[in-house]
Amino acid sequence: MTIRHFRRDDDLTPAEQLEVLDLADRLKADRFASQALAGPRTVAVMFDKHSTRTRVSFCVAVAELGGFPLVIEAASSQLGRGEPIADTVRVFDRQCAAIVWRTFGQERLDEMASISRVPVVNALTDEFHPCQILADLQTVRERHGRLAGLTLTYLGDGANNMAHSYLVGGATAGLHVRIACPGGFSPDPEIVVRAEAIAATTGGSVTVTDDAKEACRGSHVLATDTWVSMGQSDAEAREAAFAPFQLDSALLGLADPTAIVLHCLPAYRGKEVTAEVLDGPQSAIWDEAENRMHAQKALLVWLLAKSTPPTGRST
Ligand code: CP
Ligand code: NVA
């Protein structure tokens, strides 16, 4: 039995990430080319947190692959009343072809993946948002024609899921990843070390700085994210700390003239990004949001093709 999961960005090697991105481009050009879930086979899509893009894009992707997306609000399931993850997985993996889960701690997702006999996909944890980075990479390649060697700058909360996934997923793609964040909001050092190790093999690099201007200078992609992620509460203190890292026209003006702007959304105009930049001509946010669907469709097809469920199983 071989089961491939996508728990974090480095579950795909650089070559595998490229395979998924190439497939995403093919499935964007020909949306119904794969019927990998025909039957229909069911994919459980479960949420412990709010979602708009992830919910829509996974449901559309599964449906277009010929499958059935079973959306579960965790709070209304027995998991939400304390049933163990291990018992929940055993119900899902006997009936579903894959499990997509948005939850809190990464250890919850890792536990599910360690037990599941079907692929488990991280639809966002506190630590990583790897599906978003696949869509972002697809968008960057569409706009710039390549990935390796480009510079991507992320501004804001360096300790959140987006920063960590840009570090690991960006390094995997051979990007020069710059994280600009205030002291006290730096990325997890273990994740920085991991990204540096990957970058050493792909020709990319990793920089963590508190100098927003230097981080933006000459960059090909400027990205940001909410200053208050789901589950966080200290909004006022966080907004004060992050104010110098607002993505505005002045910072965009320091970037390469061809630079694009990314934001995973939802965005808070006037906080982490100005409306002028978010809705301006260099913004690629709507392609980025659409690419969630294409990238995740490719990911599901790829994971299912690489996974061999236990013999005698019907899912
Ligand atoms: N970018 C993203 O994951 O959006 P949702 O929270 O709406 O799913
Ligand atoms: N960092 C944000 C991303 C939302 C898609 C959060 O976790 O809330």
Side-chain angles (χ1 to χ4, degrees), residues 102 124 129 160-162 225-226 228-230 264-266:
R102 167 168 289 193
L124 182 147
H129 197 2
N160 78 4
N161 39 25
M162 286 301 297
D225 183 19
T226 179
V228 189
S229 286
M230 290 179 277
C264 63
L265 305 176

Side-chain angles (χ1 to χ4, degrees), residues 37-299:
L37 290 167
R41 298 165 78 196
T42 297
V43 173
V45 188
M46 185 160 70
F47 293 92
D48 285 6
K49 294 177 175 173
H50 293 85
S51 171
T52 296
R53 279 143 290 271
T54 305
R55 186 185 311 254
V56 171
S57 57
F58 266 111
C59 288
V60 172
V62 168
E64 291 192 3
L65 289 170
F68 172 72
L70 175 62
V71 175
I72 299 150
E73 303 300 339
S76 64
S77 76
Q78 299 292 2
L79 186 69
R81 293 180 62 238
E83 186 171 16
I85 291 169
D87 292 359
T88 306
V89 185
R90 291 186 175 101
V91 174
F92 283 5
D93 77 355
R94 286 169 176 246
Q95 301 179 64
C96 302
I99 302 165
V100 175
W101 191 17
R102 167 168 289 193
T103 188
F104 290 90
Q106 179 72 23
E107 72 286 352
R108 289 166 60 76
L109 191 95
D110 289 347
E111 182 183 347
M112 182 172 279
S114 74
I115 299 163
S116 175
R117 299 181 305 166
V118 298
V120 171
V121 174
N122 181 347
L124 182 147
T125 58
D126 293 343
E127 288 82 3
F128 293 102
H129 197 2
C131 289
Q132 181 69 52
I133 268 48
L134 287 179
D136 287 23
L137 293 174
Q138 184 179 15
T139 310
V140 172
R141 201 166 66 154
E142 283 173 347
R143 296 295 183 106
H144 284 297
R146 66 194 174 104
L147 288 172
L150 293 177
T151 299
L152 180 149
T153 301
Y154 168 88
L155 299 144
D157 184 1
N160 78 4
N161 39 25
M162 286 301 297
H164 289 154
S165 277
Y166 276 129
L167 280 167
V168 178
T172 303
L175 296 177
H176 300 292
V177 182
R178 299 176 184 166
I179 305 290
C181 57
F185 295 94
S186 299
D188 179 335
E190 276 182 30
I191 294 173
V192 174
V193 167
R194 177 70 184 132
E196 283 170 343
I198 296 169
T201 71
T202 62
S205 66
V206 169
T207 306
V208 179
T209 176
D210 61 2
D211 188 334
K213 286 183 184 160
E214 276 315 303
C216 291
R217 206 176 297 281
S219 189
H220 303 97
V221 183
L222 299 190
T224 188
D225 183 19
T226 179
W227 289 340
V228 189
S229 286
M230 290 179 277
Q232 296 173 339
S233 52
D234 45 348
E236 227 169 87
R238 298 176 69 85
E239 285 171 10
F242 293 127
F245 297 84
Q246 183 189 62
L247 178 48
D248 60 11
S249 300
L251 286 179
L252 183 55
L254 295 172
D256 187 272
T258 65
I260 62 167
V261 170
L262 297 181
H263 191 310
C264 63
L265 305 176
Y268 299 88
R269 291 168 177 80
K271 301 280 187 188
E272 73 271 9
V273 62
T274 61
E276 191 183 20
V277 167
L278 191 78
D279 303 316
Q282 288 172 264
S283 173
I285 57 169
W286 302 121
D287 286 350
E288 181 188 9
E290 178 191 326
N291 284 341
R292 292 291 304 277
M293 197 279 280
H294 306 298
Q296 289 157 194
K297 191 191 278 181
L299 177 72

